[in-house]
Amino acid sequence: MIQDILPHKLNNHFVPGRRPEPGDAVFCFRDRAYALRRTEGEAFSLPSVADLPPGQRLTYLFDVDERAHFLLDEPSDGVAAELGAKGFSFYTNGELRQLFAGPKEVIFAGFTAVQLAAWYRDNRYCGRCGCVTMPGNEERSLICPSCGRVIYPRIIPAVIVGVTNGDEILLTKYERHRGIPYYALVAGFTEIGETFEGTVEREVMEETGLRVKNIRYFASQPWGIADDLLAGFYCDVDGEPTITMDASELSEAIWVKRGEITGQPDDYSLTHCMMMTFNEGREPK
């Protein structure tokens, strides 16, 4: 999965007052796209502080191994032009997945950075009183100097569900992703006041009309494309396995036998991992 970057390690411990060094990496964002340069082969690399004009205001994000990574949100046209002259272009995480780009530690850092960049950008003003917020000094937070409100990064919980019926698993294609040719699993966001298990039951029923039982946890995944923290579960059909598909959500929903699952083009997603785990008969019972 995208977070499996060993022997590399992402350390997102907040370091107050961390100052950039010339060799530190920088995420230069335009909306949800960030600057990368294609290096030897198919690999991509981030710009360093030394690639930027002096005097840029940078925000510390995290380390990958021992290298600090900073944020330059919405770079000026002059900065973007200078990066372009040095061979950098702007890519979204979705575009990088379609290019099968790497190395994985750079792409996973991008998945994480896009969430933090959006959080900083969306909370420049206090939602309670409208005052301009200021970075916290002791933890990753934004503080309103007027009303004292403290704003922390938020993660959206969601589930990925492998619905099984003996040696078959339910594969889907989502209506809103009609251009994507490969299959996925039932998925959905957790509502306020709902457990993960409750989300599994509700989403499967809403999208396919199936009741489920024996819900068991598999694994989790941070998924920066949609600001999610995904929790993967397997479950068994409880009763009749006939699918009643919600056509507003799904364009296809079918049972596929173990050994006949092709998965997705890359190994980034928890969805792909769960599909292939079932295909090989290794899912939790």
Side-chain angles (χ1 to χ4, degrees):
M1 292 185 282
I2 186 64
Q3 71 269 25
D4 298 327
I5 61 172
L6 290 175
H8 304 281
K9 181 177 176 58
L10 184 144
N11 181 357
N12 60 4
H13 177 68
F14 180 66
V15 182
R18 182 73 173 265
R19 300 182 65 85
E21 301 292 336
D24 290 338
V26 182
F27 282 98
C28 299
F29 275 95
R30 283 192 155 178
D31 194 17
R32 295 178 75 89
Y34 52 97
L36 291 168
R37 179 168 56 197
R38 191 184 292 266
T39 57
E40 186 175 341
E42 294 301 310
F44 285 80
S45 64
L46 290 160
S48 69
V49 173
D51 289 315
L52 304 178
Q56 303 301 309
R57 183 176 178 180
L58 303 176
T59 301
Y60 172 71
L61 296 179
F62 47 72
D63 285 4
V64 176
D65 300 330
E66 300 299 322
R67 189 186 190 194
H69 288 58
F70 287 82
L71 168 66
L72 175 61
D73 197 19
E74 300 296 335
S76 67
D77 290 340
V79 171
E82 185 161 334
L83 289 173
K86 294 180 178 181
F88 291 94
S89 300
F90 286 85
Y91 300 88
T92 66
N93 283 326
E95 290 169 339
L96 292 170
R97 283 196 77 195
Q98 293 176 14
L99 291 170
F100 305 107
K104 189 178 283 189
E105 66 271 15
V106 173
I107 308 306
F108 179 51
F111 270 56
T112 307
V114 72
Q115 291 181 267
L116 286 171
W119 173 73
Y120 278 113
R121 188 182 315 136
D122 293 346
N123 291 280
R124 289 171 177 162
Y125 300 92
C126 176
R128 180 184 298 162
C129 71
C131 185
V132 175
T133 57
M134 300 175 61
N137 294 322
E138 298 180 357
E139 57 188 349
R140 193 179 304 280
S141 64
L142 293 168
I143 300 172
C144 176
S146 176
C147 69
R149 179 174 178 242
V150 181
I151 308 166
Y152 297 102
R154 298 298 186 197
I155 299 169
I156 304 171
V159 299
I160 302 291
V161 189
V163 185
T164 66
N165 181 34
D167 279 338
E168 296 181 318
I169 192 169
L170 179 63
L171 300 186
T172 65
K173 291 182 179 179
Y174 275 85
E175 176 66 24
R176 64 182 179 276
H177 296 152
R178 270 192 171 270
I180 297 177
Y182 45 84
Y183 285 98
L185 300 174
V186 170
F189 295 107
T190 300
E191 302 289 349
I192 291 174
E194 189 174 53
T195 64
F196 280 134
E197 292 81 1
T199 307
V200 169
E201 293 177 336
R202 177 181 54 78
E203 287 290 345
V204 174
M205 174 57 71
E206 288 178 353
E207 295 185 3
T208 69
L210 298 172
R211 298 186 183 277
V212 297
K213 61 183 179 180
N214 189 25
I215 299 170
R216 62 266 192 202
Y217 174 76
F218 174 66
S220 64
Q221 178 176 51
W223 192 244
I225 286 180
D227 300 338
D228 297 347
L229 178 62
L230 302 174
F233 293 86
Y234 290 96
C235 58
D236 303 328
V237 168
D238 185 8
E240 173 60 46
T242 301
I243 299 166
T244 304
M245 189 181 74
D246 179 358
S248 68
E249 284 283 339
L250 302 179
S251 61
E252 193 172 346
I254 59 173
W255 293 108
V256 179
K257 290 185 179 298
R258 198 190 304 272
E260 299 179 0
I261 301 165
T262 57
Q264 297 181 343
D266 59 43
D267 64 350
Y268 283 4
S269 71
L270 176 58
T271 297
H272 172 82
C273 179
M274 291 179 64
M275 291 166 64
M276 301 317 294
T277 296
F278 179 84
N279 198 52
E280 297 161 10
R282 298 185 291 106
E283 78 280 5
K285 304 300 184 182

